[in-house]
Amino acid sequence: MPAVPEAYYEYVMEYAPYLYVVPDVGPDLEWGKAAFAAAFAVDFLFEAYFHPQFDSRSSEIEAKIVELANWILTQQCTDAEKLAYGGFKSTENRTEYYAVDACRTVPALLKAYELTSNTAYLNSATLAGNVFLFNMQHKPSLLGVHDRYYGGFARAVSISDQWLAEMDVVCLHGLPALRMLCEVDPTSKSQYEAGMVDVVNFCRVGLEECFDHYSPLPSGDGGWHRVDQADRIIIDDSLAYALWGLYDYEGYSNTVQKAYSYINAIGASSAYPAYNPAVCWAGYLDAVSKVSACNYYDAVTAGILAPIRRDHDKSAYEYSHNIIAAHADEFMFWGVKHVDFGFVENKQAMATVCWLGQLFLGYEVPVTRFTQVLSSKGENLTLYPITAAGERTAYGEGIDVKAIVLPAKSEELLLEPGYVTHDYFAMHVFAPVRRHDKIRRNGTDYQIQTVQDYAFKGETAYRKATCRRLTNQ
């Protein structure tokens, strides 16, 4: 079975660098093309170039990478008199140059340079790094846009030299770019290293508390904020990108672990009972009430979070991959509904396809001591995730899982009227099951009553769940 669905590869080859594509219609021309969409496409294609699945197509992949890298060059501000000098347009039709777009674009240019030895890509990347990103970090304090030097990157500057002064934690996504620049531009290495230290020191507090951005004086209030006025709602992908960058820089540090664990523990609610963060994160999350704040997954986060999950949350890594692989066409859209994986808007997204493509390319089935036991001793069950609660309980499609099934111990049970001990069983399972999910065993349905995680070396090794036979469905 191919690692990457053919539809993903064909989509990138045909439509990059467009941001969105309407199926059976074509590119969404209102949004148009974007440098970061081209960059994400290069990231995916660079990995595909070296993957055995695409051995016979390396020439066409290289040609597409060159096409995209050349287009990225056309989006860079080359006017040295502008504050945007060295940055990249947010989209081809806009005049703002965001710091995060440079963070995303530099690695792609350096990969294109590695593949082709075209120094134009190297020069563009170093200009973005040692001029534009340096200025986005330092000039606001010199020009009075910020009341002092903080270390974060200002959000954006326009071609007419107008600033968006807020500093976003998503710019931690740029740490791999600065690290790569250290290797190819050694004359500026100390500058890049200092920039990395400063942005990490500044953004660490915001990320640990799951804030989105800092609003600096004199125009702001000098505080950390989320995206709504009540400071409750977070946009999941911004924090996922930040975690991805910081994880590359310092591994599974206390900051990365704290932020990832907090967001990943935000779960379903009575309004959105189908949400399971193990698939990927919801587009909006209530960080105060710790529940999903919308009815859809932000599909791109499954790809962004893959390195962290591969190394430190293997059950979510496996579950996410398997769900998306079974619904690969549905997950090409930017927003995928919790209940049935239907799209929120009829637009396939380049960023989503590219990040999920990298998930597929790099995926390896997790192997732990417990999964080895499951492989040899486990029983095949079918899991039906709950999608609606209340008077009419509903479940999603069945998912095959393995579990070690044991009789329930009477001392562990609170028997309900009408039930006997034999109506219950306990299971040890790797999959991220939840309370009220349904399990089918030998043709009989059971509801999961309790779930307890068991950790080893800071990672969930398995879960113990108590299940009770369903009598009315």
Side-chain angles (χ1 to χ4, degrees), residues 79 196 290 416 441:
D79 185 346
M196 287 188 282
K290 298 193 72 174
E416 298 182 48
R441 184 191 186 213

Side-chain angles (χ1 to χ4, degrees), residues 13-85:
M13 293 295 288
E14 182 172 359
Y15 294 117
Y18 284 102
L19 279 165
Y20 301 106
V21 174
V22 180
D24 301 320
V25 176
D28 182 344
L29 300 181
E30 181 178 354
W31 281 93
K33 303 174 183 178
F36 80 85
F40 288 162
V42 170
D43 290 339
F44 164 68
L45 292 172
F46 185 80
E47 297 300 320
Y49 181 88
F50 295 101
H51 195 279
Q53 180 181 343
F54 298 100
D55 278 346
S56 64
R57 291 182 272 188
S58 57
S59 295
E60 66 186 36
I61 291 174
E62 182 175 352
K64 184 65 176 181
I65 288 175
V66 169
E67 173 194 324
L68 292 169
N70 287 341
W71 186 81
I72 289 172
L73 297 183
T74 69
Q75 302 302 291
Q76 189 167 36
C77 177
T78 56
D79 185 346
E81 299 301 314
K82 297 294 184 179
L83 292 173
Y85 181 48

Side-chain angles (χ1 to χ4, degrees), residues 39 42-43 46-47 102-115 121-122 125-126 129-130 133 173-189 192-193 196 244-245 248-249:
V42 170
D43 290 339
F46 185 80
E47 297 300 320
C103 295
R104 291 166 170 167
T105 305
V106 165
L109 288 169
L110 294 179
K111 291 170 187 176
Y113 169 66
E114 179 181 336
L115 199 62
Y121 307 146
L122 173 63
T126 55
N130 64 29
L133 286 177
H173 186 69
L175 291 168
L178 296 174
R179 177 181 53 76
M180 293 171 71
L181 285 168
C182 288
E183 299 174 3
V184 299
D185 185 20
T187 58
S188 300
K189 182 178 180 179
Y192 298 132
E193 290 178 336
M196 287 188 282
W244 180 87
D248 180 87
Y249 179 72

Side-chain angles (χ1 to χ4, degrees), residues 113-156:
Y113 169 66
E114 179 181 336
L115 199 62
T116 66
S117 300
N118 186 336
T119 56
Y121 307 146
L122 173 63
N123 293 337
S124 175
T126 55
L127 178 63
N130 64 29
V131 176
F132 178 72
L133 286 177
F134 180 84
N135 288 343
M136 296 299 284
Q137 201 170 23
H138 291 269
K139 280 202 171 182
S141 60
L142 299 175
L143 299 175
V145 178
H146 296 170
D147 64 313
R148 62 181 177 85
Y149 177 71
Y150 291 92
F153 296 103
R155 180 175 295 169

Side-chain angles (χ1 to χ4, degrees), residues 219-274:
S219 58
D221 62 4
W224 284 100
H225 295 283
R226 301 188 176 107
V227 297
D228 63 317
Q229 290 186 346
D231 280 337
R232 298 178 66 94
I233 306 300
I234 58 178
I235 300 178
D236 66 301
D237 65 335
S238 293
L239 295 178
Y241 281 123
L243 282 168
W244 180 87
L246 190 59
Y247 182 64
D248 180 87
Y249 179 72
E250 63 183 24
Y252 205 51
S253 63
N254 289 337
T255 297
V256 174
Q257 183 174 359
K258 180 178 180 180
Y260 174 78
S261 298
Y262 188 92
I263 300 170
N264 207 51
I266 295 175
S269 67
S270 57
Y272 308 115

